[in-house]
Amino acid sequence: MKYLDEFSDPDLAGKLLAQIHAATTRPWALMEVCGGQTHSIIRHGIDQLLPDGIEMIHGPGCPVCVTGLETIDKALAIAARPDVIFCSFGDMLRVPGSAQDLFGVKSAGGDVRVVYSPLDALTIARQNPDRQVVFFGIGFETTAPANAMTVYQARRLGIGNFSLLVSHVLVPPAIAAIMESPRCRVQAFLAAGHVCSVMGTGEYPALAARYRVPIVVTGFEPLDILEGIRQTVVQLEAGRHEVANAYPRAVRDEGNPAAMAMLRDVFEVTDRTWRGIGTIPGSGWRLSSRYREFDAEHRFDVTGVRAAESPLCRAGEVLQGLRKPNQCAAFGKQCTPRTPLGATMVSAEGACAAYYAYRRLDLVATS
Amino acid sequence: MCLAVPGRVLSVAEVDGTRMAEVDFGGVRKDVCLEFVPDVGVGEYVVVHVGFAIQRLDEASARETLAHFERIGILDEEFGGGFTRLAGQAGADR
Ligand code: SF4
């Protein structure tokens, strides 16, 4: 596929790697924020090709991993209702709630459906006017415009049996929270390219200046990631901390104005609890009061849900870059993609699942 | 689910007052909402996430980036062949 294959060319990757090696004189710790980048880094073994001193710390940017346990439990409660068709992206189905997951609800007779796009859920709502159709609206700024547009359409077209269970999370407040943590080791960030396709780069100069960290907007193909790392290392070595865009084919500084206008109309900022991390002030979006009637939390009474994590799971430390997945005692033993104890073992973008898929055999060999 | 991928707009149509397109992803075709990229037309590339184009993929800048990767290793003469091939591909199906 054009504009995918070109950006994984091994010859060019070799050149970028040589430049990174040439530029590096000291150890540096870089965080890739986005789970899609974590997946790409581990899959292509990019971290193993870097100079020894360059450490990639895997950030909290997998929405499946950070969606709050309480939100998952609310989803399970709504999905179990006989009047509800519960629609979700496929990777949410195995995410463990306190007692079970959406697959469990489905096998117990719940009407749980996997959709590719929230618009598919809206179509299902139109086809089933006598049922309540709920879409599980999770994700970062990349996914939020799709969910916003779907609610907007539901209101415009008068589709009253549709609602959204919203748990959006935002990247810039998470970067601030990571830097504020006393145990923080991160010296630079690869910012998530597609988040910036939507939001632009306007929120980053203040973060780069305040925490004195380079922030380089980075894409997802191997060459994109190497170029993001190269630009970051060059800045670190020169003692600079600027915002740079290493993914200009998909990111403009101003973002996507049409999408941002829709987001402002449909959502409002709220405090959000990130699974394994805790509550980060102002780090989420919920439906604004104009759209409250489409909010599944208001439509269905799901208060009083009590959430409890597996006591073995170390996903919180993994998500904050304090521990690598294989440093969790349950990794590959009690916890596998088939029997995940934590959400980071579920989605392909979760660090635990990426290590399990691509590193398990090496890790067993060396342990 | 976080994946967003580039695809090429094959056709554009108005459905229920919404601008929709058929987009080709290297052989796989899907319906995609174009409301967030109102001025994109047939033949252009877009970055698509969960059924929505979130940004235009800028071909000129894609080619510039590839050329920049090439210049970066300008001393590695032996890699020269790779770039000629890539430059050819990048301009091939315009
Ligand atoms: S390996 Fe499993 S139990 Fe350990 S941190 Fe990852 S998700 Fe949690």
Side-chain angles (χ1 to χ4, degrees), chain A:
Chain A
M1 168 78 201
K2 191 158 138 69
Y3 298 131
L4 284 178
D5 304 343
E6 288 100 321
F7 285 90
S8 38
D9 181 85
D11 291 348
L12 292 179
K15 294 181 180 191
L16 286 171
L17 266 169
Q19 292 294 310
I20 294 169
H21 279 265
T24 307
T25 67
R26 274 173 286 169
W28 299 109
L30 281 52
M31 175 176 275
E32 86 278 2
V33 173
C34 170
Q37 290 167 341
T38 303
H39 182 239
S40 194
I41 286 168
I42 303 301
R43 174 167 178 207
H44 298 285
I46 289 173
D47 54 333
Q48 295 172 326
L49 300 170
L50 294 172
D52 283 342
I54 305 274
E55 183 190 357
M56 298 308 298
I57 299 179
H58 314 307
C62 160
V64 174
C65 305
V66 298
T67 299
L69 183 59
E70 202 187 325
T71 306
I72 304 286
D73 287 346
K74 284 179 182 171
L76 294 169
I78 294 172
R81 293 172 61 110
D83 55 334
V84 164
I85 301 175
F86 193 85
C87 301
S88 169
F89 296 126
D91 25 11
M92 293 307 286
L93 264 62
R94 277 208 188 281
V95 174
S98 296
Q100 56 172 347
D101 57 20
L102 283 167
F103 260 121
V105 171
K106 190 175 163 67
S107 33
D111 195 345
V112 178
R113 303 190 192 179
V114 169
V115 293
Y116 158 70
S117 166
L119 284 181
D120 299 340
L122 199 59
T123 305
I124 292 171
R126 292 174 103 172
Q127 290 162 346
N128 296 273
D130 52 337
R131 307 277 302 278
Q132 286 289 331
V133 174
V134 182
F135 181 72
F136 199 1
I138 62 143
F140 280 92
E141 293 95 328
T142 320
T143 318
N147 293 339
M149 176 64 81
T150 305
V151 179
Y152 171 86
Q153 297 285 9
R155 194 169 81 161
R156 186 175 70 86
L157 300 166
I159 304 174
N161 63 326
F162 177 84
S163 60
L164 202 61
L165 179 62
V166 187
S167 186
H168 277 300
V169 277
L170 305 174
V171 167
I175 287 182
I178 287 162
M179 291 313 298
E180 295 286 348
S181 157
R183 289 189 288 175
C184 174
R185 297 186 296 120
V186 180
Q187 293 167 295
F189 289 92
L190 306 186
H194 293 143
V195 165
C196 300
S197 295
V198 172
M199 300 300 290
T201 57
E203 291 171 281
Y204 294 121
L207 288 169
R210 174 146 181 225
Y211 298 110
R212 307 182 67 79
V213 284
I215 300 179
V216 178
V217 177
T218 302
F220 299 82
E221 298 308 315
L223 293 188
D224 293 319
I225 290 174
L226 287 170
E227 174 63 3
I229 294 171
R230 189 191 69 83
Q231 291 195 21
T232 307
V233 169
V234 166
Q235 281 203 43
L236 286 167
E237 291 281 345
R240 291 189 282 129
H241 44 83
E242 294 157 10
V243 176
N245 181 2
Y247 192 38
R249 70 184 184 283
V251 175
R252 300 162 189 210
D253 285 344
E254 71 275 19
N256 181 326
M260 286 160 85
M262 176 66 68
L263 291 168
R264 273 194 300 274
D265 177 43
V266 172
F267 293 127
E268 64 191 23
V269 170
T270 182
D271 296 347
R272 179 71 71 207
T273 303
W274 298 49
R275 190 168 192 173
I277 296 177
T279 302
I280 304 176
S283 69
W285 277 328
R286 64 174 177 208
L287 286 171
S288 64
S289 52
R290 280 188 300 288
Y291 291 86
R292 189 106 330 141
E293 55 180 310
F294 292 96
D295 190 335
E297 284 193 65
H298 284 255
R299 191 170 296 188
F300 306 98
D301 184 20
V302 281
T303 46
V305 169
R306 257 193 41 237
E309 287 284 6
S310 157
L312 293 176
C313 183
R314 293 283 167 270
E317 289 163 68
V318 171
L319 287 166
Q320 293 169 79
L322 302 172
R323 195 188 277 265
K324 293 279 192 275
N326 53 305
Q327 295 166 334
C328 164
F331 175 83
K333 301 190 179 82
Q334 296 94 327
C335 181
T336 70
R338 279 168 174 277
T339 56
L341 295 180
T344 42
M345 188 55 99
V346 176
S347 143
E349 285 122 32
C352 296
Y355 273 64
Y356 189 87
Y358 303 113
R359 289 285 159 79
R360 180 167 36 108
L361 298 175
D362 310 355
L363 291 169
V364 170
T366 56
S367 65

Side-chain angles (χ1 to χ4, degrees), chain A residues 15 126 143 153 156 256, chain B residues 16 18 49 54 58 68 70:
Chain A
K15 294 181 180 191
R126 292 174 103 172
T143 318
Q153 297 285 9
R156 186 175 70 86
N256 181 326
Chain B
D16 276 342
T18 303
H49 176 66
I54 54 169
D58 186 61
H68 151 80
E70 181 58 31

